Amino acid sequence: MAQHGTQAHSHLYGVILAGGSGTRFWPLSRERFPKQLLRIIGEETLIQQTVRRLLRSMPPRRIMMVTNEVQAESIKLQLTAWKEELADNYILEPEGRNTAPAIGLAAIRLVRQDPEAIMVVLPADHVIARPAQFQQAIRVGEKLAQEGYLVTFGIRPTRPETGYGYIQPNRRAGLGGKQKPLGYRVAQFIEKPDLPTAQQYVQSGRFFWNSGIFLWKASSLLEELAQQQPRLFRGLKQIDGLIQAGSSISQLVKPYRRLESISVDHGVMEHSARAAVVPVDFGWSDVGSWGSLEEVAKKNSSGNVTNGNVVDLGSRNSVLFADQRLVATIGLTDMVVVDTPDATLVCPKVLAQDVKKVVGILKKRRAPERLEHRTIFRPWGSYTVLEEGTGYKVKRVTVVPGRRLSLQLHHQRSEHWVVIAGRARVTRGEEVYELQAGDSTGIPKQTPHRLQNPGKVLLEIIEVQNGAYLGEDDIVRLQDDFGREPKTDVSNDNLKRRT
Amino acid sequence: MAQHGTQAHSHLYGVILAGGSGTRFWPLSRERFPKQLLRIIGEETLIQQTVRRLLRSMPPRRIMMVTNEVQAESIKLQLTAWKEELADNYILEPEGRNTAPAIGLAAIRLVRQDPEAIMVVLPADHVIARPAQFQQAIRVGEKLAQEGYLVTFGIRPTRPETGYGYIQPNRRAGLGGKQKPLGYRVAQFIEKPDLPTAQQYVQSGRFFWNSGIFLWKASSLLEELAQQQPRLFRGLKQIDGLIQAGSSISQLVKPYRRLESISVDHGVMEHSARAAVVPVDFGWSDVGSWGSLEEVAKKNSSGNVTNGNVVDLGSRNSVLFADQRLVATIGLTDMVVVDTPDATLVCPKVLAQDVKKVVGILKKRRAPERLEHRTIFRPWGSYTVLEEGTGYKVKRVTVVPGRRLSLQLHHQRSEHWVVIAGRARVTRGEEVYELQAGDSTGIPKQTPHRLQNPGKVLLEIIEVQNGAYLGEDDIVRLQDDFGREPKTDVSNDNLKRRT
């Protein structure tokens, strides 16, 4: 923590955009478990790495997260190391409206907190190989931001990528720096170009990739927003007022839906006279698809990126991602194979972007495999659906030492619990009793009950549910340690969660 | 059954070679669940189709099965329609020693039963598209067999396959038939040729594939065997004597292991003056690998053979075999993807033969995925392992109406049962009681217990086992309806089965 001690009195803030849709890394990512939550490279998940990276430049209480309610729960579970400091730093959008509204809302809040606030805006799910150089780039950007520039970081392109935006700097308009300019005014922003154009850009050496990482004074951004997107700006002001007045998220849905869905690149940067680009080289990758994983992940001598229980015979340059289940591959070249407990993807690397289309099909079919994993994390532990069938569901439930689930009852299902590890304290109606590995108990429907781990090791139980209806929304919460509402959950889907 | 009525007084017998190793269709086939047990094409499994095919020419009591003890149990479960008629028709080899010993043993037994016996020998796991023509071919072969010929069926080759044996007929030595010969003497048998040779054979139009289906008088075969393989013949005579005298399978292991492991093609046919070939065209395929499935299975308009829960975008000429789990494929060409509850295979069609090497690796690692499926069928029903972990195992157990498991006890594990469908009669120590869906019970270790389905619908329970040791061999069987030995099972592996 010493590293940001010197910056404690600066006006630098981090704004992490953490509202991914979980389509591009399906089936490892899901709608409710997007890429930022994945441990794709290294020991930490991408959002943990993103926070860690910002901590080189600022204390944790200066880091804000813009996300939605469902994902916030998962993010909090991953950021427990900074739980207290981040507690008030979540801005929850009722739905995603692209980056301009998310960033605008954060800027309004920051200016109120600190009129001099300078904000680094960055996605939660990018990889940056050299965090020290990232920290250095922030220092450079901060200088230009203080002069009122809207700074974006430009990456030297290494291939004619048609999925990115490009930036052309005005080389005659160098900014800051005495010998060598720190950055340049932007000549133009270019939306995703076609392949010949992209090839020309790469060859010319005169264009940068737009990294989607920005740095500016919150007040500068708001000035531009007010001028270029006055309707959006007014809408955001109104929403900020509602939040200030204590409106619930469901009350924000309507005004939020009226906001224009627009990116900050398109809505602000493209037409701003203050846009600047700082060339950087901190090993950036947006890891935009399974096909691009090789940019950042460790490859073996055959060029394969391999994970989990894979038995391979002679594959080359492929992404072979398994988990516990066995995946056998023979003689694959430039392929992607991703296996998860409930779904498997197989495609050539060059078509990995099309996984979005698969998720689209699954969404139409209301297939559960696009929404959530079989294992769901909760503040008290986790549960894994082992099997579901007509009239029954089998789960393995884990409870962290000292934690307990809500005191709850179900109208339509009975439950049986068999302890397989640890110690359980069970509340059933008026009774409270303890169980150990090998013990079991039954919870009739309509009976208030609670599962608690009074021990020092993880409690694990097998839960067998019986009943005509087994949706997660058949729950009446009578008391909860985690502030979850004492009512039936309403979700936007027939797949209910919450336990 | 009317169709074989006219042959009831013939001397025709069927000998099905049913001892596959389960490697080539892994992961759908397993060491203990080989290809013959799979429903690869059509409504019935390959061995069911093989029996059905023979029934056009003979009654069920004339069909013998040469297999091993483990597979016999699964085969019997698939052939329940002819349970009584086939009851005494299983010849159990203690281990596979190629086809000559298996066929020789069957021939010795048949000659004792019926000195005039004519045997059709055929593998259990081939596909024959036109069974009426197969029946006709048997009639033709039978005529030549009666004249003392050792008949093999020759298939007109459609591609330069290097995995088959070839037969060159002696076109000048036509056999039977007044206008057109029924068959030919064999000029030569050729073992698997190299590609240029195979190409030449196909182009010349003068060679047949060796189908591995034979037809001969059992006595003719034994005469040739005695002459060409006298040691093997003596060994088989000795083993037959031991079986006659009531020796157990374990007592046959040693003498069996002394037998030469040799094919009937190589050991008898190649050097026999009586070898004949009958050209046939009954739509034969040995379905030797996933790559060859397309020869027999139905393809969709993109040329894909698809099964189960597959979401595909634009794949062509591929085999996409899923089950319950979701498999998403994008833009594959000439690929094989096979998904099962515990293992997935991905490879190009042309390398599908190499799955044998994968199974070899799994065998070395003692990986359970090469041995058995997660669902195991038993005379009383089935069980599926849902999850295993330290100190616990979760199974879904089904019991067929009217059946019951053995009365048994376990030394090292307790069990909990939750009924999810149907009705269970539970014996626990001295108690007998009934449970319905939603009820549960616990069986302490060392306690004799039994699970029975007294109802008219399938009984399904979730069983949670707890204990330090959870091997299937921790079972003491006190009484069993299916004649299984009342002792701890000894298997050739640390993966124990039996329940």
Side-chain angles (χ1 to χ4, degrees):
Chain A
M1 297 287 150
Q3 55 208 9
H4 57 70
T6 51
Q7 287 99 21
H9 300 289
S10 92
H11 297 280
L12 196 64
Y13 295 80
V15 175
I16 298 177
L17 303 177
S21 61
T23 56
R24 291 186 299 177
F25 268 77
W26 186 89
L28 202 59
S29 64
R30 303 288 164 108
E31 198 175 309
R32 287 180 175 162
F33 204 81
K35 194 179 94 192
Q36 66 209 27
L37 301 176
L38 300 181
R39 203 170 280 103
I40 279 183
I41 171 177
E43 293 298 302
E44 292 193 309
T45 65
L46 291 180
I47 197 167
Q48 286 170 334
Q49 291 179 12
T50 302
V51 169
R52 187 83 62 191
R53 202 149 60 227
L54 283 177
L55 290 178
R56 292 172 160 265
S57 307
M58 62 193 69
R61 63 187 160 76
R62 293 259 188 90
I63 299 174
M64 297 173 80
M65 226 72 57
V66 189
T67 183
N68 57 56
E69 201 177 12
V70 169
Q71 291 184 24
E73 196 177 311
S74 301
I75 292 169
K76 284 174 185 171
L77 286 175
Q78 293 202 349
L79 302 181
T80 45
W82 310 284
K83 195 183 162 195
E84 303 302 325
E85 295 94 328
L86 296 179
D88 298 325
N89 295 11
Y90 288 82
I91 298 181
L92 301 184
E93 295 185 293
E95 62 177 57
R97 303 296 286 167
N98 212 327
T99 53
I103 293 168
L105 209 53
I108 291 170
R109 183 154 149 186
L110 279 177
V111 165
R112 195 171 51 244
Q113 252 176 263
D114 176 357
E116 297 300 309
I118 292 177
M119 59 201 276
V120 185
V121 179
L122 72 175
D125 59 358
H126 289 185
V127 166
I128 284 171
R130 296 182 285 280
Q133 279 166 263
F134 177 76
Q135 183 184 7
Q136 176 57 26
I138 286 184
R139 276 197 210 105
V140 171
E142 194 178 359
K143 281 183 196 152
L144 297 181
Q146 270 158 348
E147 294 171 28
Y149 289 104
L150 306 185
V151 176
T152 171
F153 290 140
I155 314 289
R156 186 164 302 284
T158 53
R159 59 173 192 276
E161 174 66 54
T162 58
Y164 295 162
Y166 286 71
I167 299 170
Q168 184 180 25
N170 181 346
R171 294 278 177 187
R172 294 191 209 143
L175 301 172
K178 274 153 197 170
Q179 285 89 40
K180 201 186 160 221
L182 300 175
Y184 304 92
R185 283 182 184 276
V186 171
Q188 65 168 329
F189 286 90
I190 303 106
E191 286 275 306
K192 301 171 183 177
D194 59 19
L195 187 62
T197 311
Q199 283 168 333
Q200 191 190 315
Y201 288 173
V202 175
Q203 277 160 23
S204 77
R206 284 180 291 146
F207 291 80
F208 294 112
W209 282 339
N210 183 347
S211 66
I213 305 175
F214 306 103
L215 214 157
W216 46 52
K217 278 174 80 170
S219 58
S220 307
L221 187 269
L222 290 179
E223 285 157 26
E224 286 288 317
L225 198 64
Q227 197 182 328
Q228 295 190 43
Q229 305 290 340
R231 257 192 72 205
L232 175 58
F233 182 69
R234 282 195 304 275
L236 290 172
K237 279 293 214 187
Q238 184 210 348
I239 287 164
D240 181 63
L242 289 169
I243 295 172
Q244 288 276 94
S247 292
S248 74
I249 287 187
S250 55
Q251 291 172 303
L252 299 180
V253 171
K254 268 195 178 175
Y256 222 85
R257 208 162 273 170
R258 280 197 296 266
L259 298 179
E260 194 179 358
S261 177
I262 192 170
S263 71
V264 78
D265 309 63
H266 193 57
V268 177
M269 294 296 275
E270 276 183 22
H271 303 289
S272 170
R274 309 199 220 177
V277 57
V278 169
V280 293
D281 181 27
F282 43 59
W284 171 87
S285 169
D286 79 334
V287 218
S289 73
W290 282 111
S292 69
L293 187 62
E294 58 185 2
E295 290 171 19
V296 295
K298 216 169 145 181
K299 289 184 259 188
N300 68 13
S301 57
S302 306
N304 299 320
V305 177
T306 300
N307 184 71
N309 190 9
V310 174
V311 172
D312 177 58
L313 286 180
S315 294
R316 287 179 303 118
N317 302 325
S318 294
V319 174
L320 309 175
F321 233 76
D323 186 18
Q324 300 298 316
R325 281 167 29 86
L326 173 65
V327 174
T329 48
I330 305 173
L332 305 183
T333 304
D334 293 319
M335 294 285 294
V336 173
V337 179
V338 183
D339 186 67
T340 67
D342 60 347
T344 300
L345 168 72
V346 182
C347 67
K349 256 190 216 171
V350 292
L351 296 177
Q353 302 272 5
D354 286 354
V355 71
K356 280 189 268 188
K357 295 181 194 166
V358 169
V359 176
I361 292 170
L362 297 178
K363 193 155 189 168
K364 268 187 206 150
R365 295 188 188 174
R366 297 182 149 251
E369 292 89 349
R370 111 273 170 193
L371 193 66
E372 295 188 307
H373 279 293
R374 300 230 103 185
T375 296
I376 310 254
F377 297 96
R378 286 282 175 269
W380 42 259
S382 71
Y383 68 85
T384 301
V385 177
L386 302 183
E387 191 169 76
E388 290 183 72
T390 308
Y392 76 97
K393 193 189 274 187
V394 186
K395 288 178 177 179
R396 183 163 45 75
V397 178
T398 72
V399 186
V400 172
R403 300 275 168 89
R404 58 184 186 176
L405 284 72
S406 61
L407 181 66
Q408 56 188 238
L409 65 81
H410 313 292
H411 289 301
Q412 301 190 59
R413 67 174 186 254
S414 61
E415 295 181 344
H416 286 94
W417 297 340
V418 183
V419 177
I420 54 174
R423 208 147 55 86
R425 181 171 294 150
V426 175
T427 304
R428 181 176 69 175
E430 300 298 307
E431 309 164 81
V432 177
Y433 47 94
E434 294 211 351
L435 303 176
Q436 305 211 342
D439 295 342
S440 73
T441 193
I443 312 288
K445 53 179 134 175
Q446 308 279 7
T447 306
H449 59 275
R450 173 168 241 165
L451 179 63
Q452 180 175 0
N453 181 353
K456 295 203 187 309
V457 298
L458 195 69
L459 163 65
E460 292 184 77
I461 70 162
I462 300 296
E463 174 178 286
V464 183
Q465 304 179 355
N466 288 85
Y469 179 76
L470 299 167
E472 297 289 339
D473 59 338
D474 173 17
I475 184 169
V476 178
R477 227 180 250 117
L478 306 166
Q479 193 280 327
D480 185 51
D481 289 354
F482 308 102
R484 296 175 302 175
E485 294 171 50
K487 63 175 181 75
T488 299
D489 184 52
V490 180
S491 94
N492 61 350
D493 200 274
N494 62 347
L495 283 149
K496 308 300 168 65
R497 54 208 305 266
R498 295 267 163 159
T499 290
Chain B
M1 298 289 152
Q3 54 206 7
H4 57 71
T6 51
Q7 287 99 21
H9 300 287
S10 91
H11 296 281
L12 196 64
Y13 295 79
V15 174
I16 299 178
L17 304 177
S21 61
T23 56
R24 292 186 298 178
F25 268 76
W26 187 91
L28 202 60
S29 64
R30 303 289 165 107
E31 197 174 310
R32 289 181 176 163
F33 204 80
K35 195 179 93 192
Q36 65 209 28
L37 300 175
L38 301 180
R39 203 170 280 102
I40 280 183
I41 171 177
E43 293 298 302
E44 293 193 305
T45 65
L46 291 181
I47 196 166
Q48 286 170 334
Q49 292 180 11
T50 302
V51 169
R52 186 81 66 192
R53 205 150 56 226
L54 283 178
L55 289 179
R56 294 170 160 265
S57 308
M58 62 192 69
R61 63 186 160 77
R62 293 260 186 89
I63 299 174
M64 297 173 81
M65 229 70 61
V66 189
T67 183
N68 57 56
E69 200 176 14
V70 169
Q71 292 184 24
E73 196 176 314
S74 302
I75 292 170
K76 285 174 184 171
L77 287 175
Q78 294 202 346
L79 301 182
T80 45
W82 309 284
K83 195 182 161 197
E84 303 301 326
E85 294 94 330
L86 296 179
D88 297 326
N89 295 11
Y90 288 82
I91 298 181
L92 302 184
E93 295 186 292
E95 63 178 56
R97 304 296 287 169
N98 212 328
T99 53
I103 293 169
L105 210 51
I108 290 171
R109 182 154 149 186
L110 278 178
V111 165
R112 195 170 50 243
Q113 254 176 262
D114 177 355
E116 297 300 307
I118 292 178
M119 56 201 279
V120 186
V121 179
L122 72 177
D125 59 358
H126 288 185
V127 167
I128 286 172
R130 296 183 285 280
Q133 278 168 262
F134 177 73
Q135 184 184 4
Q136 175 57 28
I138 285 184
R139 276 197 210 108
V140 170
E142 195 179 357
K143 279 180 198 156
L144 297 181
Q146 271 159 348
E147 295 172 26
Y149 290 103
L150 306 185
V151 176
T152 171
F153 289 140
I155 314 287
R156 188 164 301 283
T158 53
R159 59 174 192 276
E161 174 66 54
T162 56
Y164 295 163
Y166 286 69
I167 298 170
Q168 186 181 23
N170 181 345
R171 294 277 177 189
R172 292 189 213 148
L175 301 172
K178 274 154 198 169
Q179 284 90 43
K180 200 185 161 225
L182 301 175
Y184 304 92
R185 283 182 186 275
V186 171
Q188 65 166 328
F189 286 90
I190 302 106
E191 286 273 307
K192 302 171 182 178
D194 59 18
L195 187 62
T197 310
Q199 284 167 333
Q200 192 191 313
Y201 287 173
V202 175
Q203 279 160 20
S204 76
R206 285 182 289 146
F207 291 79
F208 295 111
W209 283 338
N210 183 349
S211 66
I213 305 176
F214 305 104
L215 213 156
W216 46 54
K217 278 173 79 171
S219 58
S220 306
L221 188 270
L222 290 180
E223 284 158 27
E224 287 287 316
L225 199 63
Q227 196 182 331
Q228 296 191 43
Q229 306 289 340
R231 256 192 73 205
L232 175 58
F233 182 69
R234 282 195 304 275
L236 290 172
K237 278 293 211 185
Q238 184 211 347
I239 287 164
D240 181 63
L242 290 169
I243 296 172
Q244 289 275 93
S247 292
S248 73
I249 287 188
S250 55
Q251 291 172 300
L252 298 179
V253 172
K254 268 197 178 171
Y256 222 84
R257 208 162 272 169
R258 280 197 296 265
L259 298 179
E260 194 177 358
S261 178
I262 191 169
S263 71
V264 78
D265 308 64
H266 193 57
V268 177
M269 294 297 274
E270 276 183 22
H271 303 289
S272 170
R274 308 200 222 179
V277 57
V278 170
V280 292
D281 181 26
F282 42 59
W284 171 88
S285 170
D286 78 333
V287 219
S289 73
W290 281 110
S292 69
L293 188 61
E294 58 186 3
E295 291 171 18
V296 295
K298 217 170 145 181
K299 289 184 258 188
N300 68 13
S301 58
S302 307
N304 299 319
V305 177
T306 299
N307 184 71
N309 190 8
V310 174
V311 173
D312 176 59
L313 287 179
S315 295
R316 287 182 302 119
N317 302 326
S318 293
V319 173
L320 309 175
F321 234 78
D323 186 18
Q324 299 299 314
R325 284 168 25 88
L326 173 64
V327 174
T329 48
I330 305 172
L332 304 183
T333 304
D334 293 319
M335 294 285 293
V336 172
V337 179
V338 183
D339 186 66
T340 68
D342 60 347
T344 300
L345 168 72
V346 182
C347 66
K349 255 191 219 173
V350 292
L351 295 178
Q353 302 272 4
D354 286 354
V355 71
K356 281 189 267 186
K357 295 182 193 164
V358 170
V359 175
I361 292 169
L362 297 179
K363 193 155 188 167
K364 266 188 206 148
R365 294 188 188 173
R366 296 184 150 250
E369 293 89 349
R370 113 273 171 191
L371 193 65
E372 297 189 305
H373 279 293
R374 301 227 103 186
T375 295
I376 310 254
F377 296 97
R378 286 281 175 267
W380 42 260
S382 70
Y383 68 85
T384 302
V385 177
L386 301 182
E387 192 171 75
E388 291 183 70
T390 307
Y392 77 97
K393 191 189 275 187
V394 186
K395 289 180 178 177
R396 182 164 45 75
V397 179
T398 72
V399 186
V400 172
R403 299 275 169 91
R404 57 185 187 176
L405 284 72
S406 61
L407 180 66
Q408 56 187 239
L409 65 79
H410 312 293
H411 289 300
Q412 302 191 58
R413 68 176 185 256
S414 61
E415 295 181 344
H416 286 92
W417 297 342
V418 183
V419 178
I420 55 174
R423 208 148 54 85
R425 181 170 296 149
V426 176
T427 304
R428 183 178 66 177
E430 300 297 306
E431 308 165 85
V432 177
Y433 47 95
E434 293 210 354
L435 304 176
Q436 304 210 342
D439 294 341
S440 73
T441 193
I443 312 288
K445 56 178 133 173
Q446 308 280 7
T447 305
H449 59 277
R450 171 168 241 165
L451 179 63
Q452 180 176 0
N453 181 352
K456 295 206 186 306
V457 298
L458 195 68
L459 163 65
E460 292 185 76
I461 70 162
I462 300 297
E463 173 178 287
V464 183
Q465 304 178 354
N466 289 85
Y469 179 76
L470 299 167
E472 296 290 339
D473 60 338
D474 173 18
I475 184 168
V476 177
R477 228 180 250 118
L478 305 167
Q479 194 280 327
D480 185 51
D481 289 354
F482 307 102
R484 295 175 301 176
E485 294 170 50
K487 62 176 183 74
T488 300
D489 185 51
V490 180
S491 96
N492 61 351
D493 200 276
N494 62 347
L495 283 148
K496 306 301 169 67
R497 57 208 304 264
R498 297 268 159 156
T499 289

